[in-house]
């Protein structure tokens, strides 16, 4: 089955830039999406179609794509950004959604 | 504002069928979009279960397909999940969500989510 691979954890100091990667063979052919999940809460969409930001999401969140890897970048990280982040895409047929394993972002 | 609310038993016995319903408000299901179910075992990641269009067309996770049925009731503006032959491995928080699915435009994501409901499988 198709898989998306994320690092289990990323740590940054406040004000620095956090980069979370997600790798998958079908990513050159499918858009990627990113969700933020805080403890006890439902996931929230922060990036769609690789690099688009939904309304209400701070500008410090951005996304990019290069080949089989997509990256979520959080510039000027704030304490409130500490959360789990999940990438999501579709398989090559476009009919099955797939989530990455998640990355825990720690703000030191 | 689109809102989704899951409901159903919080405890299911092994080998029985898990049944959940997602009530949608602020948007008419019959107007379009896909609607889906995602689950998250305690302390683990997200897993897509399946999605349904208002017409009844479905997509299921291949790993769960043999046990999953998703249906839609446009008259009640809700959709439902049934997962049969459950085991302890099916213990999870179950979320319902609105899906943006356009296969020809390589688009498939979830923009509105319910708060989630914990279902425990135990005797």
């Amino acid at each position: 089955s198709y898989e998306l691979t994320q690092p289990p954890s990323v740590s940054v100091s406040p004000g620095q830039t956090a980069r979370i990667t997600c790798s998958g063979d079908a990513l050159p052919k499918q858009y990627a999406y990113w969700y933020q999940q805080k403890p006890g809460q439902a996931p929230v969409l922060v990036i769609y179609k690789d690099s688009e930001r939904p309304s209400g999401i701070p500008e410090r969140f951005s996304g990019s794509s290069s080949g089989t890897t997509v990256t979520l970048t959080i510039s000027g990280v704030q304490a409130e950004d500490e959360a789990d982040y999940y990438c999501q895409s579709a398989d090559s047929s476009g009919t099955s959604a797939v989530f990455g394993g998640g990355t825990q972002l720690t703000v030191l | 504002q689109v809102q989704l609310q899951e409901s159903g038993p919080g405890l299911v016995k092994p080998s029985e069928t898990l049944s959940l319903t997602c009530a949608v408000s602020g948007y008419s299901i019959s107007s379009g979009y896909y609607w889906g179910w995602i689950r998250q075992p305690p302390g683990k990641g997200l897993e897509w279960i399946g999605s349904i269009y208002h017409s009844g067309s479905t997509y299921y996770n291949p790993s769960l397909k043999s046990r999953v049925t998703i249906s839609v009731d446009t008259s009640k503006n809700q959709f439902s999940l049934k997962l049969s032959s459950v085991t302890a491995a099916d213990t999870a928080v179950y979320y319902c969500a609105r899906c943006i699915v356009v296969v020809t435009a390589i688009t498939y994501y979830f923009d509105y989510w319910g708060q989630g409901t914990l279902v425990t499988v135990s005797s």
Side-chain angles (χ1 to χ4, degrees), chain B:
Chain B
Q1 177 78 342
V2 180
Q3 293 185 314
L4 300 94
Q5 179 67 58
E6 306 88 349
S7 62
L11 180 64
V12 180
K13 291 182 167 56
S15 80
E16 295 190 345
T17 295
L18 178 160
S19 296
L20 295 174
T21 296
C22 181
V24 179
S25 59
Y27 187 85
S28 173
I29 285 182
S30 59
S31 295
Y33 290 108
Y34 275 80
W35 304 85
W37 290 96
I38 301 101
R39 70 180 183 179
Q40 184 172 37
K44 296 187 178 181
L46 300 167
E47 179 181 34
W48 170 71
I49 300 171
S51 303
I52 188 166
Y53 196 51
H54 66 86
S55 63
S57 173
T58 54
Y59 296 129
Y60 293 139
N61 185 324
S63 67
L64 298 170
K65 186 174 183 177
S66 63
R67 299 195 291 131
V68 173
T69 301
I70 297 177
S71 58
V72 63
D73 186 339
T74 54
S75 67
K76 295 182 178 179
N77 215 41
Q78 63 186 34
F79 59 104
S80 300
L81 168 70
K82 291 188 185 299
L83 181 65
S84 64
S85 305
V86 297
T87 69
D90 295 309
T91 294
V93 174
Y94 285 76
Y95 296 99
C96 58
R98 191 175 78 169
C99 315
I100 312 300
V101 180
V102 184
V103 175
T104 54
I106 58 172
T107 298
Y108 201 140
Y109 65 103
F110 308 90
D111 61 349
Y112 289 98
W113 295 64
Q115 65 185 27
T117 187
L118 174 63
V119 179
T120 301
V121 178
S122 175
S123 55

